[in-house]
Amino acid sequence: MPRKYATPASVPCAQCPLRRVGAFSANTPEEIAFIQQLKSGDIVLGAGAVLSREGVNIGQLHTLLEGWAFRFRTLSSGARQILNFLLPGDFIGLQERLGAHSSHGVELLTTARLCRFPAARLRELYTHHPSLGYDVTWIAAHEELIVDENLVSVGQRTAMQRIAMLLIHLYKRACSVGLQHPDGRVPFPVTQQHMADALGLSLVHTNKTLHRLRTSGHFAISNGMLALKRPEAISRLADYYARPLRERPLI
Amino acid sequence: MPRKYATPASVPCAQCPLRRVGAFSANTPEEIAFIQQLKSGDIVLGAGAVLSREGVNIGQLHTLLEGWAFRFRTLSSGARQILNFLLPGDFIGLQERLGAHSSHGVELLTTARLCRFPAARLRELYTHHPSLGYDVTWIAAHEELIVDENLVSVGQRTAMQRIAMLLIHLYKRACSVGLQHPDGRVPFPVTQQHMADALGLSLVHTNKTLHRLRTSGHFAISNGMLALKRPEAISRLADYYARPLRERPLI
DNA sequence: GTCACTCTATGTCTTTTGACATACCGGCCG
DNA sequence: CGGCCGGTATGTCAAAAGACATAGAGTGAC
């Protein structure tokens, strides 16, 4: 069962460990101070916890500081589609402001720490610091690009390509936020069921395809860590040619 | 071949016919005046014209005033995924600002009129009228919801459900911007190839599934007009329960 | 230690979807 | 007029993916 952990002392934004990762663009001290006073605190939730449910608007916005999560939607048939995976630095909740009820849920893959502020105060960002408002739009458009990419996979790639795509994509995203270990492996808390739900495949077919990809030496997963043997081969297999990563905003 | 039509006299934003459609939220006269001076003009392009190509950044943002279009991505195999359809009032180009080159193309389904302004001036919106900046974020998040919905279809629905979903979804969107004729039909410039590319199905299978859906009396298409016989039956078939439409911003 | 539970693995059979080939139909053009 | 082209329609066969059944491996609870 999802548990809510004791809230730890909130980390000041100026000392936010994510800001020391090269992936994020710098903000002025004034901007950081402003974000700081918006923040209502950190929360820590356990793996499997549901941050927000479909149909419910929690009125809070989050930035994922540590840990992995995913956004999903469920059909009345019970089928679940994972829309995208969330890694440290990702912003959560922009879509929820839109309707009285959220169209999707957010669930944690690992124990995670999140930075929280009230959705009602989002507008202040635009009035006090237009550049931060611009950043929020950037973040929304960037997340859409990731969903676009997933849609291309699910719509046009074979099962093998989809899986290759997911592996390389998550591998690169994990690396970009500094999760890569010295031996080249990255944490990988995604089960085969999650992959199946993200890629529009059945669990069994995911398992069998993964098996072929593993025995052909493309990757290895052990102890929740992913190793990609030949990243270029996997990219080629997936028909995936990533554009260079650029700095992105962090709120 | 795509032709560029003679540019007609640009319509002043205050008289924009879209603003008389109930679907869009009102702006203050100052906001409209500001949008007006951002605008560099209207352009009209013919059906099949490519507004922007994959890999190219045109440095222009558009609002679709009349006509239909779609965003798409192509894999090296030649397979094309339509990411979403664009109807009057939709904003085009937010994702393009993000990279030096756009990750997707935009092509017109019909002759269309677009309102254009330079992407470089987008920031002015945030500094001069924070509420308009907020609206742009809203638009980005709203478009992501549509892509989410498509991803759910392609990932989890059967061919029949996907097609039912596409029909009811486009039907409702067309109605919401006042395209519905008195007899209940709406324009439908989408070919079976477009549907196939949007839904991740082959052309042949799309055709056959469409046939079954048509002979079971769910819809009819003639002269480029779509009639939905029993919208509730189609929604049920598609496992689609739309949340009520709300006013949305127009830039 | 063993029970329960989650995740992974694998075999067999069925269903859905795709590939290829072919035909039809209406608009456009010389 | 006849030919071409884009879009639609249909048949046959093949491949991809799903459903169901069952089993093993790892982990945590008591």
Side-chain angles (χ1 to χ4, degrees), chain A residues 37-94:
Chain A
Q37 60 84 34
L38 277 185
K39 180 171 175 176
S40 61
D42 284 357
I43 61 166
V44 173
L45 297 171
V50 175
L51 181 61
S52 80
R53 255 170 236 289
E54 292 168 279
V56 178
N57 193 325
I58 54 173
Q60 303 286 335
L61 298 170
H62 298 92
T63 294
L64 189 51
L65 296 179
E66 282 174 39
W68 294 45
F70 61 90
R71 290 197 311 126
F72 66 96
R73 276 204 44 193
T74 313
L75 293 182
S76 70
S77 66
R80 176 175 76 170
Q81 177 66 41
I82 292 182
L83 300 165
N84 61 352
F85 290 97
L86 301 164
L87 270 69
D90 286 349
F91 196 88
I92 303 174
L94 273 183

Side-chain angles (χ1 to χ4, degrees), chain A residues 71 73 75-77 79-83 94-95 97-99 101 103 122-123 126-127 130-131 133-134 136-138 140-145 147-152 154-157 197 200 239 243 246, chain B residues 71 73 75-77 79-83 94-95 97-99 101 103 122-123 126-127 130-131 133-134 136-138 140-145 147-152 154-157 197 200 239 243 246:
Chain A
R71 290 197 311 126
R73 276 204 44 193
L75 293 182
S76 70
S77 66
R80 176 175 76 170
Q81 177 66 41
I82 292 182
L83 300 165
L94 273 183
Q95 305 82 6
R97 299 174 307 110
L98 297 178
H101 47 280
S103 62
L122 182 63
R123 256 179 204 278
Y126 293 78
T127 50
S131 61
Y134 189 84
V136 173
T137 304
W138 201 104
H142 180 252
E143 184 170 317
E144 181 179 341
L145 288 185
V147 180
D148 282 355
E149 189 69 70
N150 291 345
L151 178 53
V152 171
V154 177
Q156 305 299 331
R157 286 188 242 251
D197 288 348
D239 199 350
R243 49 212 87 256
R246 343 183 75 213
Chain B
R71 290 198 310 126
R73 274 204 44 192
L75 292 182
S76 71
S77 66
R80 177 175 74 170
Q81 176 66 41
I82 292 183
L83 301 165
L94 273 183
Q95 304 82 4
R97 296 174 310 110
L98 296 178
H101 46 281
S103 62
L122 182 63
R123 257 178 202 278
Y126 292 78
T127 51
S131 61
Y134 189 84
V136 173
T137 304
W138 201 104
H142 180 255
E143 184 170 316
E144 182 180 340
L145 287 185
V147 179
D148 283 354
E149 189 70 70
N150 291 345
L151 178 53
V152 171
V154 176
Q156 305 299 331
R157 286 187 243 251
D197 288 347
D239 199 350
R243 49 212 90 254
R246 343 182 78 213

Side-chain angles (χ1 to χ4, degrees), chain B residues 13-240:
Chain B
C13 296
Q15 270 89 60
C16 182
L18 282 175
R19 295 198 178 272
R20 288 196 293 274
V21 175
F24 301 100
S25 47
N27 288 103
T28 65
E30 294 75 35
E31 288 167 346
I32 293 181
F34 187 80
I35 293 172
Q36 174 77 64
Q37 60 85 34
L38 276 185
K39 181 171 175 175
S40 60
D42 283 358
I43 62 166
V44 173
L45 297 172
V50 174
L51 180 61
S52 79
R53 254 172 239 290
E54 293 168 278
V56 179
N57 193 325
I58 54 173
Q60 302 286 334
L61 298 170
H62 297 91
T63 294
L64 189 51
L65 297 178
E66 284 174 37
W68 294 45
F70 61 91
R71 290 198 310 126
F72 66 94
R73 274 204 44 192
T74 313
L75 292 182
S76 71
S77 66
R80 177 175 74 170
Q81 176 66 41
I82 292 183
L83 301 165
N84 61 349
F85 290 98
L86 301 164
L87 270 70
D90 285 348
F91 196 88
I92 303 174
L94 273 183
Q95 304 82 4
E96 292 180 30
R97 296 174 310 110
L98 296 178
H101 46 281
S102 166
S103 62
H104 59 262
V106 177
E107 187 175 318
L108 302 187
L109 283 171
T110 66
T111 295
R113 198 160 55 86
L114 302 111
C115 172
R116 162 176 282 188
F117 72 95
R121 296 192 64 192
L122 182 63
R123 257 178 202 278
E124 297 178 30
L125 221 56
Y126 292 78
T127 51
H128 290 68
H129 289 277
S131 61
L132 291 178
Y134 189 84
D135 284 350
V136 173
T137 304
W138 201 104
I139 288 169
H142 180 255
E143 184 170 316
E144 182 180 340
L145 287 185
I146 291 180
V147 179
D148 283 354
E149 189 70 70
N150 291 345
L151 178 53
V152 171
S153 272
V154 176
Q156 305 299 331
R157 286 187 243 251
T158 65
M160 172 100 22
Q161 290 181 309
R162 293 183 213 184
I163 289 182
M165 176 72 200
L166 182 69
L167 292 176
I168 186 81
H169 178 228
L170 288 179
Y171 184 84
K172 291 200 172 179
R173 282 178 67 193
C175 289
S176 79
V177 290
L179 293 176
Q180 193 177 27
H181 285 216
D183 62 5
R185 298 192 304 164
V186 302
F188 197 72
V190 180
T191 69
Q192 294 181 0
Q193 183 67 65
H194 292 124
M195 294 194 219
D197 288 347
L199 300 176
L201 297 169
S202 71
L203 176 59
V204 174
H205 197 61
T206 300
N207 179 293
K208 289 175 181 173
T209 308
L210 216 36
H211 177 82
R212 281 190 290 155
L213 207 51
R214 182 169 351 95
T215 51
S216 62
H218 283 92
F219 79 100
I221 294 178
S222 58
N223 301 320
M225 301 288 293
L226 168 68
L228 291 193
K229 306 305 181 63
R230 290 168 283 143
E232 346 65 48
I234 294 184
S235 299
R236 214 171 328 110
L237 181 61
D239 199 350
Y240 174 59

